[in-house]
Amino acid sequence: MDLEVKGVATSPTSQTQPFSGRKLLQQGRTSKSQAIQNPCLPVVPRLDLGSLVDSDEEEQDIIPENLPGPTSKYKLKYQQHKTEMKEGYKQYSQRNAENPKPGVTQQSPRNKCVQGEAAIIDGLTTLDRKALLQQGYADIPYNAPWCMRKSDAEIVAAEKKKQTVAEQVMIDHLSRAVISDPEQNLTSERQESIHIVPDSKMAPLRFRKRTLHETKIRTHSTLTENMLSHKVQFDGRIISRNGRDACRELIGFFFTHDQSLTIYEYRQFGKNRTNVLPFIQKNIYSHQCGRRKGKQYQLGDFYIGANLTFLSSDHPRLPESIKENTLLILRITNIDQIALDSLKTDSVEREDITSQEANDRLVLKAIQDALKEQLHKRGVRILTGLGKYLQQLDKEGTGLLAKADFKQALKAFHLEVSENDFEPAWQILNGNDSGKVDYGEFKRAIIGEMNEYRKSFVRKVFMKLDFNKTGCVPIIDIRKCYCAKKHPQVISGHSTEEEIKLSFLETLKDACSKSDEVSYGEFEDYYEGLSIGIVNDEDFVNILRTPWGI
């Protein structure tokens, strides 16, 4: 059947042909021209897109006025959900009351007054409460598989580093002769005056007979690989408030065949470039302070936490920042325990020195235990403030203070140490009878310090922040790197991420002598004070790992 529209017919064949966009365009143009020619044809009206925009009035008109009420089934489910939520919150509050966490303090409007009264009773200031917020990270369960993978990668990197240093030590100290061409024994003057033309009959250099002989390269060492294999390898760090020196990566070796030791520094530039240089030349050294002053180092002197002392004047190649101090104090942070145990059979311990040191440690331990009770929950404010106070008393900048200065500092921060305890401790620290003691050493002896495992993570965080290796980190960079998204109070909604970050920055700035940057000593003091209230090492590591992403 043919279709007709106002006298215009279409053939049936047009319905069976395939439809395409080009034909549509042609037909549209044809119909438009026909419409102009024949005004009787209908014209399709233009589409008004503006009429499709929704308006607020239309939305209000569309919403029905009388909605049906919720069914009884929905009301029952809502009531059950409400009851479960109330019961869950009640149980959560009871658990927190039974096991209070000082780092997770609920800041609801109803209990602010109660918390304020408790803070006054406990003697905590606003800074103390803000510092304790950092302990909340200890409650976060860390991702064990991810941490294990990252830890394995770090162990592999550390072993590779130690292997690189050990190979460099063997290269530097092994006895070696040079195989070269005999003609190099000619004097340099003769070589300069006579120009030797290559002889066509002479065999190339690579085919000539090469023998061991006298050369210009001389080695005075008679050590063999077997001798150097009897050694103990250890990691060390410099005890210093200078961040650049404190973060140097040092690896040392103690050789039992001659009781000598050497220390190398491992440097890394970027991701692939490394360098290994001698820091302390191989030699026989002795203690420079303490009960064993003047005694030669032996195998029993090497253990985790032991201090090795050197005179800075004996090592002219040391950095200028280290030579400013009379003594270079190096702390052993890790040691090859298997090699140490296998070589200990040849060592001889001095019983008289060991007993004296044991008594000294008991005296200092008693003072540390008494002060830890006083520093509980306010260690950050007191330790950081004490460090700034002692630095201000050091007018000459030598790092040494007299007995009266230390007593004044303890009294200013309400740290009670009896005279019977203070005098023996002063006799131990003032072993050379100079009347002055390094205030860093005084703080470590009287208050104590966190173990090397914790300190290694503090150094790792600071090294991540101090990418320029200047020893100081701008506050702006700390603000950028600190992340509080996983803090319990942020997750629960009681505090915002910005509030937790500001509380951390406020307590850290209070520890700094400059308002725009943080030194390594100040950064270490902050976490030293925070460490006092953390019993478990892994909890403390979690406090560092979560916000800093290490």
Side-chain angles (χ1 to χ4, degrees):
M1 180 187 298
D2 294 338
L3 301 176
E4 295 182 2
V5 179
K6 300 271 185 185
V8 179
T10 58
S11 63
T13 56
S14 64
Q15 297 180 3
T16 59
Q17 293 178 355
F19 192 73
S20 64
R22 182 174 296 179
K23 290 183 178 181
L24 177 63
L25 182 60
Q26 292 175 354
Q27 292 175 5
R29 290 174 178 173
T30 304
S31 61
K32 185 176 181 181
S33 61
Q34 291 176 356
I36 295 174
Q37 294 174 2
N38 190 1
C40 296
L41 290 175
V43 180
V44 179
R46 182 177 297 177
L47 180 63
D48 186 8
L49 297 178
S51 61
L52 299 178
V53 179
D54 296 334
S55 63
D56 296 338
E57 296 179 358
E58 291 179 353
E59 289 181 358
Q60 293 177 0
D61 296 336
I62 293 173
I63 298 175
E65 297 181 357
N66 299 323
L67 289 175
T71 61
S72 57
K73 184 178 180 181
Y74 175 80
K75 287 182 178 180
L76 180 62
K77 287 184 177 181
Y78 176 76
Q79 193 65 30
Q80 290 176 353
H81 175 72
K82 187 177 180 181
T83 306
E84 290 175 359
M85 292 294 292
K86 286 184 177 181
E87 188 64 26
Y89 182 77
K90 184 178 179 181
Q91 293 177 2
Y92 175 78
S93 302
Q94 290 176 354
R95 286 196 300 268
N96 287 346
E98 294 173 0
N99 301 316
K101 298 287 184 179
V104 185
T105 55
Q106 304 294 335
Q107 295 292 334
S108 60
R110 292 180 297 176
N111 57 11
K112 278 186 178 179
C113 297
V114 178
Q115 288 183 354
E117 294 173 1
I120 295 173
I121 294 173
D122 294 340
L124 299 180
T125 64
T126 304
L127 288 177
D128 292 331
R129 293 195 298 274
K130 289 184 177 181
L132 289 174
L133 287 174
Q134 299 302 308
Q135 296 185 8
Y137 290 111
D139 300 330
I140 302 174
Y142 59 91
N143 189 345
W146 179 81
C147 292
M148 288 179 63
R149 288 196 301 270
K150 195 167 185 179
S151 178
D152 292 342
E154 292 175 352
I155 292 173
V156 171
E159 290 300 325
K160 185 178 179 181
K161 180 199 310 179
K162 292 178 182 179
Q163 184 65 26
T164 303
V165 177
E167 290 175 358
Q168 187 64 43
V169 171
M170 299 296 279
I171 292 172
D172 290 347
H173 297 287
L174 275 178
S175 174
R176 56 193 182 276
V178 179
I179 301 176
S180 58
D181 187 77
E183 291 180 2
Q184 79 167 7
N185 286 336
L186 297 174
T187 60
S188 58
E189 297 177 358
R190 181 180 174 187
Q191 289 178 351
E192 292 176 359
S193 60
I194 301 175
H195 180 69
I196 301 176
V197 180
D199 189 359
S200 59
K201 297 181 181 180
M202 186 179 297
L205 182 63
R206 62 180 180 276
F207 295 120
R208 295 183 209 171
K209 184 178 179 181
R210 300 164 68 92
T211 58
L212 292 174
H213 62 281
E214 182 69 17
T215 67
K216 295 178 184 178
I217 304 175
R218 300 174 181 271
T219 57
H220 301 284
S221 174
T222 59
L223 297 176
T224 63
E225 188 173 356
N226 186 33
M227 290 180 178
L228 292 178
S229 63
H230 298 287
K231 66 182 183 300
V232 175
Q233 184 172 339
F234 58 89
D235 298 340
R237 66 176 180 89
I238 299 174
I239 296 181
S240 173
R241 294 184 68 83
N242 185 309
R244 190 172 184 180
D245 295 332
C247 293
R248 293 181 185 272
E249 298 182 74
L250 303 179
I251 298 178
F253 300 86
F254 178 76
F255 302 96
T256 57
H257 73 277
D258 60 352
Q259 306 293 303
S260 64
L261 68 90
T262 183
I263 297 172
Y264 276 66
E265 181 181 4
Y266 179 87
R267 296 181 180 178
Q268 184 165 358
F269 307 93
K271 292 184 177 180
N272 301 321
R273 186 185 170 194
T274 60
N275 198 359
V276 180
L277 296 174
F279 194 77
I280 299 291
Q281 296 292 336
K282 186 177 183 297
N283 207 338
I284 298 174
Y285 296 98
S286 303
H287 295 270
Q288 299 300 325
C289 65
R291 297 286 188 184
R292 301 190 182 188
K293 184 177 180 180
K295 302 292 183 180
Q296 183 179 318
Y297 283 114
Q298 294 187 357
L299 191 62
D301 297 324
F302 294 86
Y303 53 89
I304 296 178
N307 289 342
L308 306 178
T309 53
F310 305 90
L311 288 176
S312 302
S313 57
D314 293 343
H315 306 279
R317 294 184 179 181
L318 289 176
E320 292 297 328
S321 57
I322 296 178
K323 289 194 291 186
E324 292 176 356
N325 302 318
T326 306
L327 285 179
L328 165 63
I329 305 177
L330 188 139
R331 172 74 55 82
I332 296 178
T333 60
N334 196 12
I335 198 166
D336 185 357
Q337 196 64 42
I338 297 176
L340 182 64
D341 294 339
S342 64
L343 296 172
K344 261 188 175 180
T345 54
D346 299 330
S347 66
V348 179
E349 296 290 339
R350 296 184 290 273
E351 296 295 336
D352 54 337
I353 299 295
T354 303
S355 61
Q356 290 178 1
E357 288 182 340
N359 292 333
D360 293 346
R361 291 173 184 174
L362 290 175
V363 171
L364 297 177
K365 185 70 166 55
I367 300 176
Q368 293 172 10
D369 292 341
L371 289 180
K372 278 185 179 180
E373 294 295 329
Q374 303 177 35
L375 292 172
H376 185 60
K377 293 187 178 182
R378 54 194 186 106
V380 173
R381 177 174 57 87
I382 291 183
L383 282 187
T384 54
L386 183 62
K388 288 172 59 177
Y389 189 82
L390 293 174
Q391 190 174 3
Q392 292 172 0
L393 291 178
D394 181 22
K395 304 295 184 182
E396 300 177 357
T398 60
L400 302 176
L401 293 175
K403 182 196 294 186
D405 296 328
F406 291 116
K407 286 186 175 181
Q408 177 184 343
L410 293 175
K411 184 178 180 181
F413 286 88
H414 307 286
L415 297 176
E416 300 177 2
V417 179
S418 64
E419 194 69 22
N420 295 333
D421 291 334
F422 186 86
E423 284 300 326
W426 179 258
Q427 294 299 326
I428 295 171
L429 297 173
N430 188 30
N432 54 1
D433 296 328
S434 63
K436 290 189 175 184
V437 173
D438 182 84
Y439 62 79
E441 183 181 356
F442 179 85
K443 278 180 59 181
R444 291 189 295 271
I446 297 296
I447 299 176
E449 57 182 330
M450 54 183 158
N451 57 40
E452 292 303 319
Y453 178 71
R454 298 188 181 193
K455 237 161 207 189
S456 65
F457 281 90
V458 175
R459 291 172 64 238
K460 190 179 295 185
V461 171
F462 191 83
M463 290 170 68
K464 177 182 178 180
L465 298 172
D466 185 22
F467 50 86
N468 290 327
K469 297 183 180 180
T470 60
C472 294
V473 181
I475 291 290
I476 297 176
D477 293 343
I478 291 181
R479 183 184 180 89
K480 291 178 182 178
C481 296
Y482 184 88
C483 179
K485 288 181 180 179
K486 296 182 179 180
H487 194 280
Q489 287 202 13
V490 175
I491 296 175
S492 63
H494 290 90
S495 300
T496 63
E497 183 181 352
E498 188 66 20
E499 289 173 351
I500 299 296
K501 183 182 292 188
L502 288 176
S503 66
F504 168 74
L505 292 175
E506 184 178 348
T507 53
L508 185 62
K509 283 181 181 179
D510 187 68
C512 303
S513 56
K514 297 181 180 179
S515 60
D516 58 342
E517 66 179 15
V518 181
S519 68
Y520 173 78
E522 294 162 347
F523 191 80
E524 186 183 53
D525 284 347
Y526 180 91
Y527 281 102
E528 191 81 61
L530 196 63
S531 175
I532 294 177
I534 308 296
V535 179
N536 193 339
D537 287 344
E538 293 304 324
D539 287 344
F540 180 79
V541 171
N542 216 22
I543 291 175
L544 289 166
R545 180 186 287 121
T546 305
W548 297 113
I550 60 171

